[in-house]
Amino acid sequence: PAIRKTQQKAPIRGSGAGMDARLDLETTRWLLWDKNPLTLELVKQLIVEDNTEELQKCFGAQMEFGTAGLRAAMRAGISRMNDLTIIQTTQGFCRYLEKQFSDLKQRGVVISFDARAHPSSGGSSKRFARLAATTFISRGIPVHLFNDVTPTPFVPYAVSHLKLCAGIMVTASHNPKQDNGYKVYWDNGAQIISPHNKGISQAIEENLEPWPQAWNDSFVDGSSLLHNPSASVSKDYFEDLTKYCFHRSVNRESQVKFVHTSVHGVGHDFVQSAFKAFDLVPPEVVAEQKDPDPEFPVVKYPNPEEGKGVSTLSFALADKTKAKIVLANDPDANRLAQNRGEWRITVSSKILRAIALKEGFHFEETLTGFKWMGNRAKQLIDQGKTVLFAFEEAIGYMCCPFFLDKDGVSAAVIRAELASFLASKNLSLSQQLQAIYVEDLTTGYDDTVLPTSKSSQMITFTFANGGAATMRTSRTEPKIKYYAELCVPPGNSDPEQLKKELNELVNAIEVHFFQPQKYKLQPKAE
């Protein structure tokens, strides 16, 4: 579940004459530096109209480069995603990498993009990726630039597989259509963590003026430093993925039917290829959502977590084809939701810890986000451990640790293989999950201490009845998310009674903790 907070105007630092002086400085530099005619003309028009309110929205605060990179609406101004802010960000990132890696000009970076576009500002993920590539090549740094849209996981995979210094993915994932983002990976193949974000942010501030060739993206096409990794990386990715196919003979005989939707994103071709690599019959496809479309025409929010509005067409196709399972990727295909009838969104559950204690696996819990899990997984691998699996609340799964980030493509096909294997034993996924729920997993003593961070807006409550509830703010949207579960001793396994008890707990949290009327919080629309 999630509560969507009413969007508020961003606070603007400064006021009065100081604010006017700041606006004057920022708009003056913008008029000097911006070579995109659409965003340049928009700013000129706002100045002519003396539209201070809109200018403050566009120029009131620089986008903050965090561990998740950047994410904002595509429009003119220093607080938005556009050609100039992409150039400035990449110049800072480039300078930071030059200081960190003496062999940057030998190893290089990888850049890819999704299908997002914003015609009124001239911005698009592909355009931003080319401008980023231009920045690096102008400094003599090799760039592996995908020539077409890819899932986000292909960037961290390429970083690790090609032994590159860094990776950039231009995507806003499941955000609303007007947004875009700039996601950064380090040379270990994981998302960056502190202090790299602070160092990059400082370098951006020191390199705001566009370099001489910053706007001339056409010169990179003939450069010997530009490489297209699309074919080779895709081939190698699927070869590595097949190492995690454990029941090929069962897959060939499977009668389980699946429906897949890519929610107007990039996932379709890659999920189809993954099923073929596992010798599974490819899933039925929601045709209306199959192809990448930056307008996301048949969904209000392109996020599988949002509920029935995203899934209506998928469930209708499942009814028509008698498919048992619906699989849904988010638009950049790094996450996966699955169910039949209503979404069963599998989130970080204490049951994984219980299974680890029972079976003798090593279990660790990190802060929310694959930036933490990926970096910790690398540390464990470097210690000689085999990392089997990682997952987070927001339907993100790392099923194949040949790279260190969530991946909705591998998750889809591995989920399908699991369903096919269970079907060969006359079991469904739900039946197997129920069997795990009622198994005695109380062996051992759990003294896990939850990790903490001053920058993490997350709190977990545990209750005397075995309930647990975690609340956190979204890093990329104006939302508060919360997840609740209930764990009881063996013998107390009446599912309906437990669901009733859990629902009562959730309702109490909503009413008494969040107090939505007092704080003007809106429940999610669907």
Side-chain angles (χ1 to χ4, degrees):
I3 286 181
R4 180 179 298 276
K5 192 180 189 304
T6 305
Q7 183 74 55
Q8 301 290 330
K9 295 176 182 176
I12 304 299
R13 292 194 297 270
S15 61
M19 189 65 231
D20 291 342
R22 176 179 159 78
L23 274 181
D24 286 345
L25 171 65
E26 296 294 356
T27 54
T28 298
R29 294 200 298 190
W30 191 272
L31 297 177
L32 277 174
W33 294 343
D34 188 13
K35 305 301 181 188
N36 177 320
L38 295 173
T39 47
L40 182 61
E41 183 58 35
L42 174 62
V43 174
K44 286 181 178 178
Q45 189 66 32
L46 292 175
I47 293 171
V48 168
E49 296 170 354
D50 196 25
N51 190 338
T52 305
E53 182 179 356
E54 195 61 32
L55 284 169
Q56 286 182 355
K57 289 180 181 177
C58 295
F59 292 95
Q62 187 90 27
M63 281 187 296
E64 181 181 352
F65 193 97
T67 53
L70 299 174
R71 198 169 290 187
M74 288 180 278
R75 204 161 185 260
I78 63 173
S79 61
R80 302 287 189 261
M81 296 287 293
N82 50 64
D83 288 1
L84 180 53
T85 53
I86 288 292
I87 288 170
Q88 293 170 327
T89 299
T90 309
Q91 288 178 172
F93 187 37
C94 180
R95 287 290 198 210
Y96 185 75
L97 290 173
E98 287 175 334
K99 293 178 181 178
Q100 296 291 319
F101 297 100
S102 60
D103 56 353
L104 179 61
K105 290 187 176 181
Q106 287 73 50
R107 294 167 65 189
V109 300
V110 61
I111 303 173
S112 193
F113 52 94
D114 66 11
R116 286 175 179 260
H118 190 249
S120 64
S121 69
S124 71
S125 296
K126 185 172 185 177
R127 166 77 174 159
F128 295 161
R130 281 184 60 83
L131 288 171
T134 300
T135 297
F136 281 102
I137 289 174
S138 74
R139 296 288 298 168
I141 298 164
V143 174
H144 300 261
L145 175 65
F146 285 87
N147 70 343
D148 201 356
V149 297
T150 69
T152 290
F154 274 46
V155 169
Y157 175 77
V159 171
S160 299
H161 189 63
L162 302 177
K163 296 180 171 56
L164 306 176
C165 291
I168 298 168
M169 180 67 189
V170 184
T171 179
S173 189
H174 55 277
N175 270 44
K177 67 179 183 179
Q178 69 271 15
D179 289 358
N180 216 324
Y182 186 103
K183 196 171 191 177
V184 171
Y185 294 86
W186 203 242
D187 75 326
N188 62 359
Q191 296 175 44
I192 62 165
I193 54 176
S194 187
H196 293 311
N197 61 304
K198 296 175 183 176
I200 295 167
S201 184
Q202 180 63 36
I204 293 169
E205 287 293 326
E206 295 168 356
N207 291 274
L208 292 176
E209 183 172 355
W211 298 342
Q213 290 182 298
W215 291 94
N216 184 20
D217 67 308
S218 61
F219 92 93
V220 304
D221 292 322
S223 173
S224 61
L225 295 172
L226 183 68
H227 310 283
N228 174 18
S230 299
S232 62
V233 166
S234 183
K235 174 178 175 292
D236 293 343
Y237 169 89
F238 286 110
E239 284 183 2
D240 283 340
L241 181 58
T242 57
K243 297 171 187 174
Y244 294 85
C245 176
F246 300 112
H247 302 287
R248 192 172 296 277
S249 59
V250 172
N251 295 347
R252 291 184 183 127
E253 302 298 323
S254 176
Q255 301 298 308
V256 181
K257 290 184 178 181
F258 302 90
V259 163
H260 175 249
T261 176
S262 52
V263 192
H264 302 301
V266 303
H268 168 74
D269 289 344
F270 300 93
V271 169
Q272 294 282 308
S273 296
F275 270 65
K276 292 172 185 175
F278 273 49
D279 281 340
L280 285 161
V281 175
E284 299 285 343
V285 177
V286 180
E288 297 92 336
Q289 298 175 336
K290 174 176 74 71
D291 297 322
D293 189 333
E295 292 300 316
F296 301 104
V298 298
V299 293
K300 186 175 181 181
Y301 301 108
N303 183 354
E305 286 185 298
E306 287 291 345
K308 293 180 180 178
V310 181
S311 59
T312 302
L313 293 172
S314 302
F315 292 159
L317 181 60
D319 288 337
K320 181 179 178 181
T321 60
K322 295 181 170 54
K324 297 292 186 183
I325 295 170
V326 173
L327 302 169
N329 289 124
D330 63 344
D332 68 327
N334 69 342
R335 304 192 307 157
L336 178 77
Q338 169 259 311
N339 202 6
R340 179 69 177 90
E342 61 180 30
W343 288 126
R344 178 181 298 279
I345 299 174
T346 307
V347 300
S348 299
S349 168
K350 310 305 177 193
I351 199 169
L352 186 59
R353 181 190 301 149
I355 292 172
L357 287 166
K358 175 82 171 181
E359 300 294 338
F361 295 113
H362 177 71
F363 171 86
E364 290 198 18
E365 188 164 2
T366 72
L367 291 165
T368 299
F370 265 87
K371 63 187 177 186
W372 303 110
M373 284 182 278
N375 280 282
R376 181 57 183 149
K378 183 64 167 65
Q379 292 173 349
L380 292 169
I381 290 168
D382 289 345
Q383 294 170 13
K385 292 184 169 63
T386 299
V387 176
L388 298 174
F389 181 66
F391 78 136
E392 66 175 357
E393 306 143 333
I395 55 176
Y397 309 94
M398 186 180 82
C399 303
C400 308
F402 53 81
F403 68 97
L404 304 176
D405 201 21
K406 56 192 170 191
D407 178 9
V409 176
S410 61
V413 73
I414 287 171
R415 188 78 60 93
E417 181 178 68
L418 174 60
S420 297
F421 173 77
L422 291 173
S424 72
K425 309 292 185 183
N426 294 316
L427 290 169
S428 67
L429 285 168
S430 295
Q431 288 170 327
Q432 180 67 11
L433 187 61
Q434 186 63 28
I436 293 171
Y437 281 155
V438 299
E439 187 177 349
D440 183 358
L441 295 174
T442 57
T443 300
Y445 172 66
D446 176 21
D447 59 352
T448 302
V449 177
L450 284 173
T452 61
S453 168
K454 292 180 180 178
S455 64
S456 177
Q457 296 177 320
M458 182 175 75
I459 186 168
T460 297
F461 292 103
T462 56
F463 299 91
N465 67 346
T470 296
M471 303 90 167
R472 69 174 178 87
T473 53
S474 171
R475 298 185 301 276
T476 59
E477 295 178 275
K479 286 183 179 178
I480 301 170
K481 297 185 176 184
Y482 58 101
Y483 304 90
E485 58 187 307
L486 183 63
C487 179
V488 297
N492 298 347
S493 50
D494 178 352
E496 295 308 314
Q497 178 59 35
L498 295 178
K499 285 180 184 177
K500 181 173 180 284
E501 192 172 342
L502 182 58
N503 286 337
E504 289 172 353
L505 175 63
V506 169
N507 290 337
I509 289 169
E510 286 186 1
V511 172
H512 300 295
F513 185 80
F514 288 117
Q515 301 179 60
Q517 291 183 334
K518 178 178 178 180
Y519 295 108
K520 297 182 173 60
L521 301 175
Q522 298 175 348
K524 69 178 184 179
E526 298 160 347

